[in-house]
Amino acid sequence: MTIHTEHRIEQPSTIGVPFAVTDPSKVPAGRYFSPEFAQLEKEKLWPHVWQMACRLDEIPRPGDFTEYKINDQSIMVVRQADNTVKAYFNACRHRATALATDTGTFHGGQIVCPYHGWRWNLDGSNSYVFAERGFAPHCVERDSLRLSECQVGELFGMVWINMDPDAPPLSEAFGEIAEVMAPIGFDRMQVRWWRHLILPGNWKVAQEAFLEAYHVMQAHPSLAMGAADDDFNLDAFGGTFECFKGGHAHMLPLTGEVPVEGMTVADYFIQFNNALYFGTDAYATEREMFIQQGLLERDIEPEQFPLAFFGALYEYAQGAGIPLPPPPANTSGYGHIFPNITVLPAYGNSIMYRVRPNGDDPESCVFEVWALQIPAAGEESQDRPELEGPIPIEDWPQIFKEDFANIIAQQKGLKTQGLDDLVLSEQYEAMIVNSHQTIDQYLAR
């Protein structure tokens, strides 16, 4: 029997919220395409939530910066001289010229406006005003010229920002999700690849494709491997899960059940790894395939194959100086960090998704994917990861293509006349409901 573990989230107030979620089994379709709803998110959600702005390895040295964009806001994240990190609203205090574009380095410890040459130190203090004598004294007081800051926090090897100075600190906002994600070792991972595309779908549609395992049976034949309706349960396909305050959620490790009748444990485990390797090039990598191939040449009882695999993996990791996290039975198998980060860890690897609105368009989004891995000793990269793309859908691995196709098809169907609500399972899709209810808490403020 599947044991479904969940923290029950109190029903939020929905006063003044259009298309509010008042029934946890139904989500109004208008939330995914209404300009009014997107505008409310722009005003009341994104400026007040903690968002992953970049990985720390994007700004490895003092003076390095990267630009993070959400809706019409541009934030520059800057590595300080003491290796701490600050984030500023990306605007010159003179005439609002953007000070940073994409990724780069502020040389000489100076942030220089490209328009009129005003300068700031990395800590945001103003260091120079060109021809200062021409300005009224009260306009060039140094305190008033400081760059405007966002709140900043560091966690999991990533930089998180919040535009609201009164928002709770990162540690308080993340709470339980930080605890369950900590053992995975994200801070020890480096980027194998980082790609993106623009999808014709609302950011929530794109994200929710990864907040449930219910779609695996139909959407991903290579993972389902012929499993039937009666075979489906959360333990075998998605694990039990917990929803936390603040919109966060995670899945517990799988039980090891074989969800396909007639398959041995070894057959299922091997085919599942193969499907993930060829279908994602991220969740399973050449490292795991090398270990698995070596075991195929040995006489191992089918029921013992997963145990033999993990034994060989940890033995290999110890010899190669790879600080793997604890065995899967002791770590979370999946995490959603509200509002827009999803991680799928395994074997010292992880897929990570970040989904954002594409400007002010409620029906398109920027979808990014990181393939992360804990490197072997001596293989740590000092290079900044580079964002590739936009990558055409046909050039993505198969499992991603299947997900993207369904995101596009769902957005297409959302405006169908007579379709007022999407029907959700409280058992299979509770993480989606939890996220929507948390959004409503922000929008009702």
Side-chain angles (χ1 to χ4, degrees), residues 137-176:
H138 71 277
C139 291
V140 289
E141 293 176 353
R142 287 303 184 262
D143 285 345
S144 69
L145 295 184
R146 286 192 65 89
L147 296 177
S148 183
E149 294 189 39
C150 299
Q151 286 200 67
V152 174
E154 296 180 24
L155 188 65
F156 305 142
M158 306 171 204
V159 178
W160 306 80
I161 63 98
N162 195 313
M163 291 180 268
D164 183 355
D166 297 321
L170 183 69
S171 58
E172 181 181 334
F174 278 15
E176 293 167 301

Side-chain angles (χ1 to χ4, degrees), residues 94-95 116 118 129-140:
H94 173 214
R95 281 169 57 186
H116 297 94
W118 288 30
V129 173
F130 181 77
E132 183 176 341
R133 61 188 176 276
F135 291 84
H138 71 277
C139 291
V140 289

Side-chain angles (χ1 to χ4, degrees), residues 175-226:
E176 293 167 301
I177 193 65
E179 292 180 17
V180 300
M181 293 285 103
I184 293 170
F186 288 109
D187 57 330
R188 302 195 293 273
M189 295 182 184
Q190 67 181 33
V191 177
R192 292 181 55 245
W193 52 259
W194 173 24
R195 301 167 185 161
H196 84 289
L197 76 167
I198 307 298
L199 280 175
N202 183 268
W203 71 274
K204 297 183 292 297
V205 169
Q207 179 172 257
E208 289 162 17
F210 308 95
L211 296 189
E212 44 88 358
Y214 182 57
H215 70 283
V216 171
M217 303 283 285
Q218 176 66 30
H220 302 307
S222 63
L223 298 179
M225 290 181 273

Side-chain angles (χ1 to χ4, degrees), residues 242-430:
E242 294 178 298
C243 293
F244 298 132
K245 179 181 178 183
H248 314 299
H250 84 118
M251 283 184 175
L252 300 172
L254 305 183
T255 63
E257 291 182 36
V258 177
V260 183
E261 186 176 353
M263 293 188 73
T264 68
V265 171
D267 287 342
Y268 180 78
F269 187 85
I270 292 164
Q271 291 189 40
F272 194 76
N273 276 344
N274 290 344
L276 290 173
Y277 173 61
F278 291 107
T280 69
D281 185 30
Y283 197 79
T285 70
E286 289 184 0
R287 187 158 75 193
E288 292 75 45
M289 293 299 100
F290 170 77
I291 292 169
Q292 179 171 279
Q293 185 60 40
L295 293 176
L296 293 177
E297 299 171 5
R298 294 166 50 186
D299 186 16
I300 300 172
E301 288 293 325
E303 296 294 324
Q304 297 301 313
F305 194 89
L307 185 62
F309 173 86
F310 286 109
L313 175 65
Y314 279 86
E315 181 180 357
Y316 172 85
Q318 184 175 11
I322 303 170
L324 290 183
N330 301 322
T331 60
S332 178
Y334 169 97
H336 169 55
I337 303 174
F338 183 86
N340 65 331
I341 295 292
T342 306
V343 293
L344 291 85
Y347 310 137
N349 313 318
S350 186
I351 302 173
M352 183 170 75
Y353 302 113
R354 178 171 67 182
V355 192
R356 292 173 285 164
N358 183 26
D360 290 334
D361 181 4
E363 296 195 68
S364 69
C365 65
V366 180
F367 193 103
E368 293 167 87
V369 182
W370 283 261
L372 306 171
Q373 185 174 55
I374 299 175
E379 295 182 358
E380 299 88 351
S381 173
Q382 302 303 315
D383 297 331
R384 282 172 152 178
E386 293 188 9
L387 177 61
E388 303 173 48
I391 306 294
I393 290 177
E394 59 269 20
D395 292 339
W396 288 80
Q398 182 61 30
I399 289 176
F400 293 116
K401 286 194 285 191
E402 292 163 354
D403 285 320
F404 296 155
N406 281 315
I407 290 166
I408 294 169
Q410 185 181 356
Q411 188 71 35
K412 182 178 179 181
L414 278 165
K415 291 184 177 179
T416 303
Q417 292 187 19
L419 179 71
D420 297 324
D421 303 291
L422 310 187
V423 178
L424 274 70
S425 163
E426 287 191 72
Q427 182 178 11
Y428 302 144
E429 298 162 316

